[in-house]
Amino acid sequence: MNVAASAQPSPDDASTVAVEAVRKQMFLDFCAALDAHAMPYVILSGYSGYPDRIDSDIDFMVSEADFLRLPALFNDASSVPGARLVQAVQHGPSACCYALASHTGHRIAYLHPDSTASYRSKGRLWLRGQAVLASRRKAAAGFWIPAAAVEFEYYFVKRCDKGVVEAHHIDTFATLLAEDPVGCRAVLARLAPLPLSDELESAISKGNVAWFEQHRQQLQLALSDSMPREAFVGRLLSRASEILRRARRILRPTGLVIAVLGPDGSGKTTVIEHLERELAPVFRRVRRFHLRPHFGAALGSTVVTDPHGEKPRGHLASAAKVGLFMIDYWMGWLRWVYPAKVRSNLIVFDRYYHDMLVDPARYRLPRGSFLQRLLVDLVPKPDIWLILHAPPELLVARKGEITLEAAQVLSKDYAHLAFQLHAISIDTGRGLKETLAAAVAAPLEYLATRTSARIGAAR
């Protein structure tokens, strides 16, 4: 499903400059809020371009007590003025990633503070917040960072534990090693035995990516040997906390399902592509379905040039089609849609079952067919309904295959459906940027309200 370049505003236009400026201010306000609320913190790594260039999550560490205070802080609109908390995904017993969003015209500026109170991995406690905070220092830009040797240890353990060490990671090792050679060498000596620690320093100084790849398993074993596992009680508590976290994710998924409906010519493709692009930073992945899950099959886009040109099916064949749709929706939700929602995915439906209520001829349902209406309440519902509309004359101009009379009937019926579903109605007859701004505002409001309610319920 492609959109002409002229129809979709480029993400590289002046709006990108505005988004970057807003993100910078959001970061400064984020740091100021932590300081104002007496929450000592350190930004653990990746901060060299801050605050002018923020390309990824902001990994930061606080104490265990302050970790529990963060949801309420970020949920307070005054903490980062102009931004709202739209996502909070706990990805470990003491790790939670937040998403703050600021609506900037038809674009969204995001800040992703990823918090932790300790660094645990594979039953081992590598770093505790209090110890890291004890040696923090201020960067030239005014925010707090760890001591060079502490950051070296965190970054080294994290990269080796993940098993991925690339050239830019080695550059960071080298920078920290040059800043505090004594402290970083002491870390290497503690984490890796001789002669491995000497080989490590040599590989860092030479930027030898191949050496790290060849010695990946050896490094991981050395790290495991250097740090004893937590006591049984500690591991048991961590495991119990992890089970509870996963249960909460299943019962209160952080993904989002949006259904976009509207007559041909209302701009569904343009709106959907904009939604996917602007909302993607809040989610781990974006999935799109056309009308129904199609039993998980990957389908290419199909251009329908004459949606009402074919003859209706008979009543028996139409009943079979509606029944197939019902099976597909439930199998799809249980097998693909809800699991994706649990994994914090954005799922967008281009059209939905309810289109058959408004435009049965498009689906070759005979006049007087009622089964689709009889079963409608049994269909799984999305989180958000977006129903697009435009003046009938404009629909005809955009899609010449429908008559003005048909466009008028469809517009009236979709408006009635929007009322029944309490859907968000978006007028796509306005300017493109105004339309896209309205389209992204609805999901942001939903996410902010949902996140706020969950934080309030957890307190």
Side-chain angles (χ1 to χ4, degrees):
M1 300 180 182
N2 296 319
V3 174
S6 60
Q8 189 79 353
S10 168
D12 298 321
D13 61 11
S15 64
T16 298
V17 177
V19 166
E20 294 300 326
V22 171
R23 182 181 291 118
K24 175 180 178 179
Q25 188 58 51
M26 290 169 69
F27 172 78
L28 297 174
D29 291 337
F30 153 76
C31 295
L34 292 173
D35 286 332
H37 288 80
M39 294 187 185
Y41 72 93
V42 292
I43 296 177
L44 290 165
S45 62
Y47 50 76
S48 60
Y50 294 2
D52 297 312
R53 190 182 71 255
I54 303 173
D55 299 324
S56 61
D57 296 351
I58 299 169
D59 295 330
F60 74 105
M61 183 174 278
V62 294
S63 69
E64 292 183 3
D66 288 338
F67 178 81
L68 300 176
R69 299 170 58 198
L70 289 176
L73 174 69
F74 293 140
N75 197 39
D76 183 349
S78 64
S79 296
V80 181
R84 299 188 70 181
L85 179 63
V86 296
Q87 192 72 287
V89 179
Q90 188 172 356
H91 55 90
S94 58
C96 185
C97 187
Y98 300 90
L100 296 163
S102 180
H103 205 169
T104 308
H106 67 289
R107 303 286 307 280
I108 306 172
Y110 289 105
L111 194 72
H112 293 88
D114 194 349
S115 64
T116 184
S118 59
Y119 184 64
R120 281 183 169 87
S121 178
K122 299 173 183 176
R124 290 171 171 80
L125 176 59
W126 292 99
L127 292 170
R128 192 182 293 276
Q130 287 84 344
V132 174
L133 295 170
S135 60
R136 67 178 186 150
R137 56 195 174 128
K138 264 197 173 180
F143 51 85
W144 294 93
I145 59 175
V150 173
E151 181 180 348
F152 182 89
E153 179 174 0
Y154 163 78
Y155 201 63
F156 179 78
V157 171
K158 182 178 179 179
R159 296 320 315 168
C160 292
D161 185 48
K162 289 180 177 291
V164 178
V165 179
E166 299 174 346
H168 64 281
H169 302 138
I170 298 177
D171 290 342
T172 300
F173 295 153
T175 299
L176 295 168
L177 185 59
E179 186 175 354
D180 183 5
V182 174
C184 293
R185 284 171 182 150
V187 170
L188 288 176
R190 179 160 47 82
L191 298 180
L194 290 171
L196 186 61
S197 57
D198 290 339
E199 294 178 24
L200 259 171
E201 185 173 352
S202 175
I204 291 171
S205 65
K206 296 176 181 178
N208 192 340
V209 177
W211 185 92
F212 280 92
E213 177 61 28
Q214 293 165 3
H215 293 79
R216 180 175 55 190
Q217 291 185 346
Q218 188 178 357
L219 287 171
Q220 291 174 338
L221 286 173
L223 288 178
S224 297
D225 292 341
S226 70
M227 178 65 68
R229 290 169 65 85
E230 285 189 272
F232 174 75
V233 174
R235 297 201 309 273
L236 185 63
L237 291 174
S238 293
R239 182 60 179 166
S241 177
E242 177 65 11
I243 292 172
L244 288 174
R245 181 189 72 83
R246 294 191 179 193
R248 284 194 295 267
R249 288 288 296 275
I250 293 171
L251 297 174
R252 299 189 304 179
T254 52
L256 183 68
V257 183
I258 303 175
V260 182
L261 289 73
D264 287 323
S266 59
K268 289 185 298 297
T269 301
T270 300
V271 167
I272 287 172
E273 291 191 352
H274 186 71
L275 286 172
E276 289 175 339
R277 188 180 69 210
E278 291 300 312
L279 296 178
V282 184
F283 302 97
R284 291 183 175 178
R285 187 182 172 193
V286 176
R287 295 198 65 178
R288 190 194 305 189
F289 294 101
H290 180 72
L291 180 62
R292 57 191 179 92
H294 293 279
F295 299 99
L299 300 177
S301 60
T302 301
V303 178
V304 180
T305 56
D306 189 7
H308 305 99
E310 297 189 59
K311 293 182 179 180
R313 293 182 174 89
H315 286 280
L316 185 60
S318 297
K321 178 172 184 174
V322 173
L324 176 68
F325 274 35
M326 288 295 299
I327 294 171
D328 186 15
Y329 272 102
W330 274 107
M331 284 188 62
W333 272 77
L334 294 174
R335 177 63 181 86
W336 294 284
V337 178
Y338 197 81
K341 190 176 175 182
V342 169
R343 292 191 292 270
S344 199
N345 285 194
L346 171 65
I347 304 101
V348 181
F349 278 87
D350 178 358
R351 297 190 178 275
Y352 207 69
Y353 178 96
H354 295 62
D355 270 295
M356 292 193 295
L357 308 183
V358 173
D359 193 7
R362 182 185 186 91
Y363 302 96
R364 300 178 62 191
L365 299 179
R367 186 184 300 273
S369 175
F370 65 90
L371 185 60
Q372 72 272 22
R373 295 185 180 276
L374 188 65
L375 299 178
V376 67
D377 290 336
L378 301 179
V379 179
K381 304 298 189 295
D383 298 305
I384 299 176
W385 298 96
L386 293 183
I387 295 186
L388 313 185
H389 66 92
E393 296 79 9
L394 185 57
L395 296 177
V396 174
R398 291 173 177 173
K399 292 284 186 178
E401 64 268 14
I402 61 173
T403 65
L404 178 59
E405 182 181 3
Q408 290 170 338
V409 173
L410 285 174
S411 296
K412 179 181 177 181
D413 290 346
Y414 272 111
H416 181 63
L417 180 65
F419 175 78
Q420 288 181 316
L421 297 176
H422 304 287
I424 296 158
S425 184
I426 297 177
D427 180 6
T428 63
R430 299 177 291 176
L432 181 59
K433 290 186 177 181
E434 290 81 358
T435 296
L436 299 181
V440 295
L444 282 187
E445 178 63 29
Y446 178 90
L447 289 169
T449 301
R450 183 180 74 178
T451 303
S452 180
R454 290 178 176 179
I455 288 174
R459 294 179 67 180

